[in-house]
Amino acid sequence: PTHGAMWTLLVLTLLSPGATETARCQKNGAPVFLQFGTRFRHGSVEGVEVPSSQGDPDDFPDPEEHPDDSPEHPDVPHCYGSFGAVAAEEGESVGSGMKDASLADCKRACDSQEECRSFTFCEHWAQCFLKKQVLTGQEPTKPNDDCRSFFKTFSNCEAQQISATVKVVSYNLYWWNAFGLKENGWKRDGILRNIKSDLRPDTIGFQECDSPELLKSRTGLEVASKFAGAQGIMVKSGKFRILSAGSRDLEATGKWGTRYMTWARLEDPRTQQRFWHFNTHWCVHSNSSHVCDEETRYRGAKT
C-alpha cells in the first residue's frame, strides 16, 4: 500500500502524499463523514446532499415510503420546527401517546391528526406525545432527559425549500511552517483567507492545528470537538447543534507522536437531520521507538 493507506469501518481509502479524502458511509442509519488528513495546503471541498425528507434524522426514510403529493396521495406532510428541550407549556394532549416510536412516526401521527399542532419526542425512551399547543419556536423551554418539542410550521413542506447540502472540508494547516515561522506570515494569511473567503465550510476537520482560538478569531468558525494531537473539528457559527463530541487515542503512534480520532455529532436545526463527522491524521513516519506503516494505520482504524 502507498503512503497513508488505511482501512476504517468498511471503507478502504488510499492516500498519496499531498492528498486528503472524505468518505461517506452509514452509522445507525445516519450519514457519517470520515476524514483522513496528510499533507494538505489548499483544502478540499466535497458537497454532500443530505436527504431533506421528513424522516427521522437517525433513520432516513426510503423515498418510496414518502411519495410526492399527487391525486393518489392527497395528504401533504407538514414541516416542523423544533426546540433543543421541551416547551415549558406543552398544552393539552391528543390521544394517549405512542411507544416504540421514531421521530418520523411522530410526524406522521401529528400530520394525520387535525388537532395536533405540536408534539414531544423522547428519543431515549422512543416515546411520542401529541399536543394541541400551538408553538412558534420563541417559547421558554425546560429540560427533561433528551425529550424535545416539535411544532408544525408550513402546511406544505415543499414550500419551505430548505437546502440540505452540507459542505465538508478537510485542511492540514502545516502549522509549524505556515504559522510558526515569522517569515511565512504570507502563508498563514493566505490559508486563513482561503478558509474564510473561498472554502466557506459548514464543517471542517483540521490537522496540524496548534491554536483553534486563532482560527476562530480569524475565520469566525466555532469549535465543535476537542482538539487532540493538534487536530479537531470546527463548524460554521450557528449552522448546527453540537449533540456530542469527543476524541480517542488510536494507538497508532509514529515519529510525531500520538494519533487521535476526533468527532462531532451534529444536527441541522432547519431540517432536524443529524450526522457524524470523524477526523484524524494518520502517522506518516517511523523512528527508533515507533514504527509507522500500513499495519500501524490498520490497527489504528480498527481501534
Side-chain angles (χ1 to χ4, degrees):
T2 59
H3 167 72
M6 77 293 289
W7 283 86
T8 185
L9 297 184
L10 298 179
V11 179
L12 172 64
T13 306
L14 297 179
L15 295 182
S16 59
T20 293
E21 297 290 340
T22 301
R24 182 171 185 250
C25 61
Q26 296 288 113
K27 179 181 176 65
N28 296 329
V32 179
F33 299 110
L34 301 170
Q35 192 171 77
F36 317 102
T38 54
R39 179 66 61 238
F40 187 60
R41 301 192 189 185
H42 299 296
S44 173
V45 177
E46 180 174 332
V48 181
E49 289 291 337
V50 179
S52 57
S53 68
Q54 290 302 292
D56 185 343
D58 290 326
D59 187 12
F60 292 141
D62 187 328
E64 295 298 323
E65 297 179 2
H66 297 273
D68 293 334
D69 184 38
S70 65
E72 290 76 23
H73 303 280
D75 295 327
V76 181
H78 287 75
C79 275
Y80 287 85
S82 66
F83 294 91
V86 177
E89 295 294 333
E90 297 180 75
E92 186 179 349
S93 294
V94 178
S96 58
M98 301 168 56
K99 295 182 179 180
D100 298 321
S102 68
L103 180 57
D105 294 332
C106 297
K107 289 179 178 179
R108 285 193 289 268
C110 193
D111 285 339
S112 69
Q113 298 284 339
E114 185 175 352
E115 288 185 305
C116 180
R117 305 304 301 169
S118 59
F119 63 84
T120 299
F121 174 61
C122 302
E123 183 175 19
H124 180 75
W125 304 106
Q127 291 186 330
C128 178
F129 305 91
L130 305 185
K131 303 292 182 179
K132 296 181 181 180
Q133 186 80 349
V134 175
L135 301 172
T136 65
Q138 303 301 314
E139 292 81 4
T141 61
K142 59 185 179 184
N144 183 4
D145 198 60
D146 69 345
C147 301
R148 299 166 58 201
S149 291
F150 292 78
F151 55 93
K152 287 181 178 178
T153 54
F154 293 84
S155 60
N156 183 349
C157 199
E158 295 292 327
Q160 197 168 5
Q161 294 295 312
I162 294 176
S163 171
T165 299
V166 176
K167 185 181 287 187
V168 183
V169 178
S170 177
Y171 216 127
N172 186 311
L173 297 170
Y174 202 28
W175 193 277
W176 75 268
N177 184 289
F179 291 77
L181 301 178
K182 291 182 179 180
E183 62 268 28
N184 286 341
W186 61 275
K187 290 185 180 180
R188 175 200 62 217
D189 293 340
I191 289 172
L192 294 171
R193 183 168 56 250
N194 185 29
I195 295 168
K196 183 177 182 178
S197 301
D198 298 330
L199 298 177
R200 292 180 292 179
D202 293 324
T203 178
I204 180 168
F206 286 111
Q207 304 92 41
E208 298 189 33
C209 172
D210 289 349
S211 177
E213 295 79 14
L214 173 61
L215 294 180
K216 179 179 179 178
S217 67
R218 293 289 298 272
T219 67
L221 296 169
E222 296 290 336
V223 175
S225 79
K226 176 182 178 180
F227 270 66
Q231 57 90 15
I233 296 166
M234 300 182 75
V235 296
K236 181 179 179 181
S237 180
K239 178 72 175 181
F240 303 112
R241 291 191 183 100
I242 302 170
L243 303 178
S244 62
S247 66
R248 180 171 180 174
D249 181 353
L250 291 178
E251 301 178 12
T253 301
K255 178 180 179 180
W256 303 114
T258 305
R259 297 294 161 159
Y260 294 88
M261 174 71 76
T262 55
W263 70 84
R265 189 183 186 213
L266 307 172
E267 179 186 76
D268 187 332
R270 303 166 304 162
T271 63
Q272 290 96 54
Q273 301 289 11
R274 298 176 179 183
F275 65 93
W276 298 79
H277 186 169
F278 290 89
N279 174 61
T280 194
H281 186 324
W282 301 107
C283 68
V284 293
H285 293 296
S286 301
N287 60 14
S288 59
S289 302
H290 299 93
V291 174
C292 176
D293 57 16
E294 61 271 20
E295 284 298 321
T296 307
R297 289 185 283 269
Y298 178 56
R299 184 173 64 251
K302 289 195 298 181
T303 301

